[in-house]
Amino acid sequence: MSEKKVMLSGIQPSGDLHLGNYLGAIKNWSARADEFDCYYFMADMHTITVRQNPADLRRRTLEQLAQYIACGLDPEKNTLFIQSHVHQHAELGWVLNCYTMFGELSRMTQFKDKSAKHTDNINGGLFTYPALMAADILLYQPDFVPVGNDQKQHVEITRDVAQRFNNIYGDVFKLPEPYIPKTGARIMGLSNPDSKMSKSMPEGCVFLMEKPEDIQRKFKRAITDSDTENCVRYDPEHKPGVANLMSIYSAVTGKSFEEIEREFEGCGYGKFKPAVGDAVVETLRPIREEATRILADKAYLESVYHQGAEKASYVANKTLRKVYKKIGFVAR
Ligand code: TYM
């Protein structure tokens, strides 16, 4: 294996990719391939903790792959794969289930949120989700897991489970660090700046493949604040909508909050909101065009995920064999 540090992350193809996924995670993945050994996957096994339409799931998994590549993840340099193609995830997932505590799982925010939202389907998979996620991560012995803020808790439980396992069996797993961007780690909904941007609130959510005019419309309608100040100033406590727009603008342009305040001094929200919309449209335009082009080439996509699964399985298998040996399973 190479001496490079390892980076790994995944996204559930349970909805179309949105600006939160891009700024919180994917943007941090691209352009790292020279520095790190990178593994990125479509977390399709996780999506079925909530009911999915099979045809949509299949379509979105491939679209997500095309979008990963369009976001700058060169498949020659990054290992891109579909989680369910690498059976070691399910196998290590089961093992780690037995090393993850009921109490720990009960504290997970994502479980609490999702079980409140899907009261008719609070299944075992939803509860033990973090054990599978720990397996996703630990199989590849990564140094860093680039995720948005909402996934930090899951990376932390992964470290706890890995540590528990290592305490019993010796140094089997490397303890990974969450790698969270300075700006963009928690993008809020444009129509609801008090909750994170998510596909479940489509009016406040900007999708990567959305048409420029729709993106602009969403930004023009973005909630700013209820005071009459009409001034672009970073104050997340009193002006969460404006702070969110500033974070988005900062993440796509690289400008600091001070620079943004100066740029829009005396302009009011009427000028600021469309300017953020424009910056986002221009960031997403090449991604949308490239993803559309790649998606049309099914044979290419197939070759990418075949090759990705092969590379990923090789690495994952090494870790799984070691784990099976340590816990006392007889080798085949
Ligand atoms: P998921 O699919 O919900 O989200 C994928 C990534 O996007 C980030 N994200 C956001 N970042 C900023 N602002 C937002 N509004 C926003 N919404 C989503 C998430 O933090 C995440 O990085 N359990 C994971 C998927 C997963 C995974 C893994 C991740 C499965 N196995 C192993 C890393 C490593 C999830 O549900 O993310």
Side-chain angles (χ1 to χ4, degrees), residues 21-199:
N21 299 136
Y22 178 69
L23 297 179
I26 307 174
K27 190 164 175 274
N28 230 355
W29 306 354
S30 42
R32 306 248 170 221
D34 293 325
E35 217 180 323
F36 296 96
D37 219 356
C38 297
Y39 298 83
Y40 302 116
F41 62 97
M42 277 54 74
D44 57 346
M45 290 166 71
H46 284 276
T47 68
I48 63 164
T49 53
V50 172
R51 291 281 172 269
Q52 302 291 327
N53 172 304
D56 288 345
L57 178 58
R58 225 180 324 269
R59 174 181 53 77
R60 278 196 307 257
T61 304
L62 295 181
E63 284 174 359
Q64 192 169 307
L65 176 59
Q67 288 167 42
Y68 277 5
I69 302 169
C71 286
L73 301 174
D74 177 353
E76 295 299 320
K77 295 183 174 174
N78 300 271
T79 304
L80 308 180
F81 66 98
I82 298 173
Q83 183 188 25
S84 62
H85 289 184
V86 182
H87 60 79
Q88 288 84 356
H89 289 244
E91 291 183 59
L92 185 63
W94 170 250
V95 172
L96 296 183
N97 252 310
C98 304
Y99 294 81
T100 309
M101 299 301 142
F102 185 90
E104 282 175 314
L105 292 169
S106 313
R107 286 193 289 276
M108 294 294 115
T109 313
Q110 186 164 307
F111 171 70
K112 289 188 207 161
D113 288 351
K114 287 205 174 167
S115 52
K117 222 186 256 173
H118 305 277
T119 45
D120 56 337
N121 185 22
I122 307 177
N123 58 71
L126 197 61
F127 188 63
T128 60
Y129 182 114
L132 179 60
M133 178 154 163
D136 298 338
I137 297 172
L138 298 174
L139 278 172
Y140 302 90
Q141 310 278 5
D143 297 273
F144 299 108
V145 182
V147 284
N149 222 354
D150 62 328
Q151 293 299 319
K152 191 168 168 228
Q153 196 183 32
H154 286 160
V155 182
E156 281 163 0
I157 193 177
T158 298
R159 287 175 61 93
D160 293 343
V161 172
Q163 183 81 68
R164 182 172 302 135
F165 196 93
N166 286 352
N167 284 345
I168 306 171
Y169 302 105
D171 275 344
V172 176
F173 297 124
K174 190 182 270 180
L175 300 190
E177 295 281 345
Y179 185 81
I180 294 173
K182 285 203 176 66
T183 47
R186 191 169 169 80
I187 300 297
M188 311 307 275
L190 300 187
S191 55
N192 48 302
D194 45 349
S195 41
K196 70 171 182 174
M197 181 177 282
S198 105
K199 58 175 190 300

Side-chain angles (χ1 to χ4, degrees), residues 16 53 71 80 234 243 264-265 271 330:
D16 296 329
N53 172 304
C71 286
L80 308 180
Y234 190 73
F264 293 97
E265 210 174 337
K271 260 200 152 159
V330 174

